[in-house]
Amino acid sequence: MQVSTRNTLYAGGFVMLSALGNPSMAANGHYVPGVEGLKGSVVPPPGIYYRGYLVHYDIDALRDDQGTKLPDSNTGSVSALVNRFIWMTDKKILNADYGMEAIIPLQRTSLDFGIAGIDSTERGVGDVFVSPLVLGWHGQQWDAVAAAGIWLDTGEYSSTEPASIGKGFRTTMLTLGGTYYPDAAKSWSLSALSRYEIKSKQDETGITPGDSWLVEWGIGKQLDNGLELGVIGYNSWQLENSKGALAGKAEKHALGIEGSYFWPSLMLGLNAAYLNEYEVHNGPSGDMFRLTLTKVF
């Protein structure tokens, strides 16, 4: 393919700006869409819980603001073990179960973007998330959640290192979601989980990424043997342009499948999911593979 000098310069600039804070699975913020899936908006009852998310994201292309694949070979991968600790207390706020949580990600990012001459690999502890407010409501045929927390800029970041594990800025994340069970046996579930992210200024570059909003959703069916299967997806939008940057708004849409099973005797659950990003604007596109282990203490 023959590309004009002007387009090549634009594409190269786009790639560098897209790599700002690392071109992770998220559209332009911290939260990775698609990690919760079926019944993602259901808050567990009082107790202590651990969830381990093993996530692998294969980057197969970089795309511009029209969703067009950029020239050259632009591939990479992001692998992460995300450790989530949840404590739901026996306290009530607004008639909801009250709890708190923390997330500690361990991540490896490898990028090979030919269009920008990037060949970089980094690994380490990513940005940590803490939430002092998790609220869960439970009805006869529905569940709902509201939460607030902050992603801290604890991971290592450098503006000259595209594969930086950290993003170099903080993000306030607000959560709202619900799950509805159409049948009395709760074998069917319809769920949606939304996250709104408000970013701070990136000190090293002076850029303030634009606010973003995403929705994860799932339609699931639990079989008589306890296995739950379903269709999942996510839709993510950057709502405003980043201040101090030339790149346009990022956007991602994906569709996939998920299966899960819970062993009551072990108080242990396992989820497996695959998602394909069928439409992406201003960012990397690819496929996500996820395994989630849940342990109740």
Side-chain angles (χ1 to χ4, degrees):
M1 176 186 294
Q2 189 173 15
V3 182
S4 70
T5 302
R6 178 181 178 183
N7 287 341
T8 301
L9 290 174
Y10 167 77
F14 159 77
V15 171
M16 295 306 293
L17 288 169
S18 294
L20 182 63
N22 83 53
S24 67
M25 296 162 275
N28 79 319
H30 275 90
Y31 182 76
V32 177
V35 296
E36 293 300 341
L38 297 175
K39 299 179 182 176
S41 53
V42 178
V43 175
I48 297 176
Y49 304 83
Y50 167 78
R51 300 201 81 183
Y53 305 82
L54 186 60
V55 182
H56 180 77
Y57 178 63
D58 272 326
I59 300 171
D60 58 25
L62 291 173
R63 300 186 180 274
D64 62 16
D65 59 353
Q66 300 299 316
T68 303
K69 182 178 178 180
L70 295 180
D72 215 326
S73 174
N74 302 295
T75 61
S77 66
V78 182
S79 299
L81 173 60
V82 181
N83 302 283
R84 182 183 180 192
F85 304 91
I86 308 167
W87 176 32
M88 296 303 299
T89 72
D90 57 1
K91 307 297 182 183
K92 294 281 188 179
I93 295 180
L94 300 176
N95 203 34
D97 292 336
Y98 165 72
M100 56 196 73
E101 65 176 336
I103 298 175
I104 304 173
L106 306 176
Q107 184 175 314
R108 178 186 182 275
T109 300
S110 180
L111 307 177
D112 187 6
F113 294 166
I115 196 170
I118 293 174
D119 185 2
S120 175
T121 299
E122 293 290 326
R123 57 177 58 84
V125 180
D127 293 340
V128 171
F129 176 76
V130 291
S131 173
L133 181 65
V134 178
L135 300 177
W137 291 268
H138 308 285
Q140 186 173 357
Q141 286 185 244
W142 59 270
D143 292 286
V145 60
I150 185 169
W151 291 93
L152 304 172
D153 52 348
T154 54
E156 186 174 351
Y157 170 77
S158 171
S159 60
T160 60
E161 180 48 72
S164 291
I165 298 303
K167 287 186 173 291
F169 58 85
R170 297 186 178 189
T171 296
T172 299
M173 187 170 74
L174 307 177
T175 297
L176 186 65
T179 298
Y180 173 66
Y181 309 95
D183 59 325
K186 294 186 176 182
S187 65
W188 283 95
S189 65
L190 309 173
S191 62
L193 180 68
S194 66
R195 313 276 197 180
Y196 189 90
E197 293 186 296
I198 306 168
K199 292 92 174 182
S200 68
K201 179 185 291 186
Q202 196 173 51
D203 292 335
E204 189 170 330
T205 64
I207 294 174
T208 302
D211 290 0
S212 59
W213 179 61
L214 66 90
V215 177
E216 295 180 72
W217 57 267
I219 303 173
K221 169 65 175 178
Q222 189 167 28
L223 306 180
D224 293 339
N225 61 6
L227 179 65
E228 186 169 19
L229 301 173
V231 178
I232 58 174
Y234 59 77
N235 306 89
S236 177
W237 301 269
Q238 182 180 342
L239 302 179
E240 57 184 7
N241 289 325
S242 299
K243 298 177 182 177
L246 298 178
K249 300 175 184 177
E251 184 176 332
K252 283 177 175 277
H253 304 276
L255 186 66
I257 56 175
E258 180 176 328
S260 66
Y261 191 83
F262 186 79
W263 291 269
S265 60
L266 301 175
M267 300 299 283
L268 193 71
L270 184 65
N271 299 57
Y274 163 76
L275 291 126
N276 169 259
E277 292 178 335
Y278 61 86
E279 183 180 355
V280 173
H281 299 266
N282 274 326
S285 64
D287 300 284
M288 177 196 287
F289 304 87
R290 167 174 57 83
L291 284 176
T292 305
L293 176 71
T294 302
K295 174 60 180 175
V296 183
F297 295 96

